[in-house]
Amino acid sequence: MSSDARSSRSPDALLSARGLRLSYGRIAALDGVDAEVFPGEVLAVVGESGSGKTTLLQALSGAISPDAGTVWYRGRDGSVQDVHRMPAPALRALHRSDWGTVHQDPRQSLRMAVSAGGNVGERLMAQGVQHYGGIRAAAIDWLREVEIAADRVDDLPRTFSGGMLQRLQIARTLVTQPRLVFMDEPTGGLDVSVQARLLDLIRGLVARLGVAAVLVTHDIAVARLLAGRIVVMRAGRVVETGLTDQVLDDPQHPYTQLLVSSVLHA
Amino acid sequence: MNGYNFAYLDEQTKRMIRRALLKAVAIPGHQVPFGSREMPLPYGWGTGGIQVTASILGRADVLKVIDQGADDTTNAVSIRRFFARTAGVATTTRTAEASVIQTRHRIPEVPLREDQIIVYQVPQPEPLSKLEPSRAETRRMHALAEYGLMHVKLYEDIARVGAVTISYDYPVMVNGRHLMSPSPIPAFDTPKMDGMAALQLFGAGREKRIYAIPPYTAVRPLDFEDHPFRLTRAPHACALCGAGDSYLDEVVTDDRGGRMFVCSDTDFCAARQPAGAA
């Protein structure tokens, strides 16, 4: 099975998953899911609550092990590694350097008792950078990059608004120039105008840095704005996949048609 | 003393502690769990140090006990008397004459020798405890040598106050591998640990951990390249012996702002004063 799956893996994919299966008791959260992320592209995973989107993201990033199936990651040196067979130190090192994660709730990944600069600098320090001036300069650069004023560098995150916290989390993730970012509902819980600004920012950064991203969202509009390709999930299965515009403008599967038609137009 | 084993602890317990000590010496700076016993003194008074001392003490040893640099304060006097009674070993206040030195909060000013052992009393052996609440996670961080978090703490200090504000229990890297709490000794004392000729043992009774630094092991305080570790010391000479390079205690002498600075290491200070002056 594994040699079979290996042969069907795309050679240029950054991350590719084959036959992912995972059940929570009798519920199949992932029921034979294939997915691929190519360098520099944003892949959106859409679907309703409980469709297995977040489980897929966690399986792709190595946070949970699937019951069956494989996830391969192609490193900077071109070598291909099985994410779930990697030794724990290697996986953690990957999460510190080449990979990044943006949670829906920035408080989950930010250290609320540490200043904005310390939060952004943490990943650099985790990589062994030990030059205070360099870390601070990088932190200020990245705060500017996400439109946070440089004089807020020593302020605690608790003095930041929700949108600023989310932008701080993005700065903290991108400071090590990752190749792949996992985003779980990055605009969830923000009001519409803040959402629009954040989406604009993410779109600009992702395009300029050429970073690939897996974006989980229930919001079709977010997927349309950010993603080049889209995967539609329902009950642990991929029901439709393709170019975002193609899938959203001409949905083939009845569920996708339902999803697209249920979006409200202002 | 009748009814008690030599040095209070039973031989099985001593053997268990010596096994932990051997493992600790083999992996410098690594915290080894041990079955800490109830001791006839409260936690925080040196239950870890006293168990380590009891396990390494032999009949020919000469014991010195330091409490905040002094030989004549409650903790030092009671622990010294405890071992004089239960082990019948000779005790001393002179650093040079001691073969085993149990200490709380100080390293003697006089350099220690190869034939000496220093035992530290440790309240909190985990240097990452204030930064990462989960012990399972800190153990993982030690295992993978992921110590970026400690630098985040140093970064915060420099960003807020312009300098690292840790004045005691300054985190050190032992043998280039393990991040270690040096116990609450002043940051002034941490350089003395680097390449020390004496064996250094650490016991934390409440937290049930033992760790060690073998002789001549590299011990480096954590710092940034552009903010190197520097010694802080009160800018005075000792009022009693005139020493300009020792660690000083500030002593309030009256209620009108009068104060004096004296050596914290009482043995060092007394030896420097002319005979009969103290």
Side-chain angles (χ1 to χ4, degrees), chain B residues 38 153 159 171 208 235 252:
Chain B
E38 289 286 335
K153 153 76 180 143
K208 301 175 173 55
V252 175

Coordinates of all heavy atoms in Angstrom, one line a residue, chain B residues 38 153 159 171 208 235 252:
Chain B
E38 N 11.5 12.4 54.2 CA 11.1 13.4 55.2 C 12.3 13.7 56.1 O 13.0 12.7 56.5 CB 10.0 12.9 56.1 CG 8.6 12.8 55.4 CD 8.0 14.2 55.2 OE1 8.3 15.1 56.0 OE2 7.2 14.3 54.3
K153 N 13.2 35.5 28.0 CA 13.2 36.2 29.3 C 14.3 37.3 29.4 O 14.1 38.4 29.8 CB 13.4 35.1 30.4 CG 14.0 35.6 31.7 CD 13.1 36.4 32.6 CE 13.7 36.9 33.9 NZ 13.3 38.2 34.3
A159 N 14.9 44.7 27.0 CA 14.0 45.6 26.3 C 13.3 46.6 27.3 O 13.1 47.7 27.1 CB 12.9 44.9 25.6
P171 N 20.5 31.8 35.2 CA 20.5 30.5 34.5 C 21.9 30.3 33.8 O 22.4 31.3 33.2 CB 19.4 30.7 33.4 CG 19.2 32.2 33.4 CD 19.5 32.7 34.7
K208 N 12.4 17.0 44.8 CA 13.0 15.6 44.6 C 13.9 15.5 43.4 O 13.7 14.6 42.5 CB 11.8 14.6 44.5 CG 10.9 14.6 45.7 CD 9.7 13.7 45.5 CE 8.9 13.6 46.8 NZ 8.4 14.9 47.4
P235 N 29.3 49.0 45.0 CA 30.6 49.7 44.8 C 31.2 50.2 46.1 O 31.3 51.4 46.3 CB 30.2 50.8 43.9 CG 28.7 51.1 44.2 CD 28.2 49.8 44.7
V252 N 22.0 47.5 57.9 CA 21.4 48.7 58.5 C 21.8 48.8 59.9 O 21.7 47.8 60.7 CB 19.9 48.7 58.4 CG1 19.3 49.9 59.0 CG2 19.5 48.7 56.9

